[in-house]
Amino acid sequence: GTPQCHQCPLAEFCLATKSQSWEQAPQPRQRRQAVPVHMTLGLIRRQRQVLLIRRPEQAKFLKGAWGFPTFLQGNDGCLQADGFETETCHQMKTLATIQHGITHHKITAHLCQLPRTHFDKVEQTWVDESDVEGHLVASLDKKAWRQIARES
């Protein structure tokens, strides 16, 4: 659009304003269209512990970050593990829903209680509930954990 030079606090220092050459200045880049992503974060508990995995390098999101097992919703509506293999996982009761953005992806993530599930070829650890947030790296996982911690 047309610059509003008369409203700009930097107008007295601006070379484009002084030379009236603002039309030659590069235009702002067009924003990429947001891509909606639906995912499920799996909350697996035993006694007062929570299972966390290190997301594999093949994961679409958050490669290498410790967090909740992540499942992406395919075009067919089925959940697919993000970067690792596991038995078929059916979405269970949703404990929390989080809206989050990563680059140009608009993520809707459901944190769901999952039954104990075996994950092959993925690094995993059980963490005391009181230490979960300290082990989480991604803000998406932290948002999900804080939301259910508030509600419990």
Side-chain angles (χ1 to χ4, degrees):
T2 305
Q4 303 293 316
C5 297
H6 63 282
Q7 295 176 351
C8 179
L10 302 175
E12 67 181 281
F13 308 107
C14 178
L15 296 176
T17 300
K18 286 180 182 172
S19 64
Q20 294 187 353
S21 62
W22 53 84
E23 296 92 12
Q24 297 171 10
Q27 294 296 310
R29 290 190 310 185
Q30 291 288 334
R31 286 187 153 222
R32 285 166 82 174
Q33 191 74 301
V35 176
V37 175
H38 296 278
M39 68 172 54
T40 295
L41 303 173
L43 179 64
I44 302 170
R45 288 182 157 138
R46 73 172 184 203
Q47 287 119 25
R48 307 268 315 145
Q49 292 185 314
V50 173
L51 181 71
L52 299 179
I53 67 164
R54 182 186 300 270
R55 292 182 177 100
E57 291 304 314
Q58 311 84 276
K60 183 170 180 176
F61 294 100
L62 308 169
K63 296 170 178 42
W66 281 98
F68 301 110
T70 305
F71 302 87
L72 299 175
Q73 185 174 348
N75 293 334
D76 59 0
C78 293
L79 296 176
Q80 300 294 322
D82 185 17
F84 59 95
E85 294 180 22
T86 186
E87 57 202 53
T88 303
C89 187
H90 301 286
Q91 188 165 323
M92 305 301 266
K93 178 184 174 199
T94 299
L95 303 172
T97 299
I98 299 93
Q99 300 295 322
H100 189 72
I102 297 177
T103 62
H104 63 283
H105 298 94
K106 184 177 180 179
I107 297 173
T108 301
H110 303 284
L111 182 65
C112 295
Q113 184 79 44
L114 297 180
R116 280 216 203 146
T117 305
H118 180 71
F119 301 111
D120 287 326
K121 301 176 187 165
V122 64
E123 196 175 343
Q124 52 198 299
T125 188
W126 289 96
V127 177
D128 289 333
E129 286 183 350
S130 60
D131 295 333
V132 169
E133 189 164 348
H135 284 78
L136 298 174
V137 175
S139 56
L140 172 65
D141 292 313
K142 289 180 181 184
K143 274 186 195 179
W145 181 250
R146 287 178 188 146
Q147 189 165 337
I148 64 160
R150 256 183 289 170
E151 294 171 5
S152 16

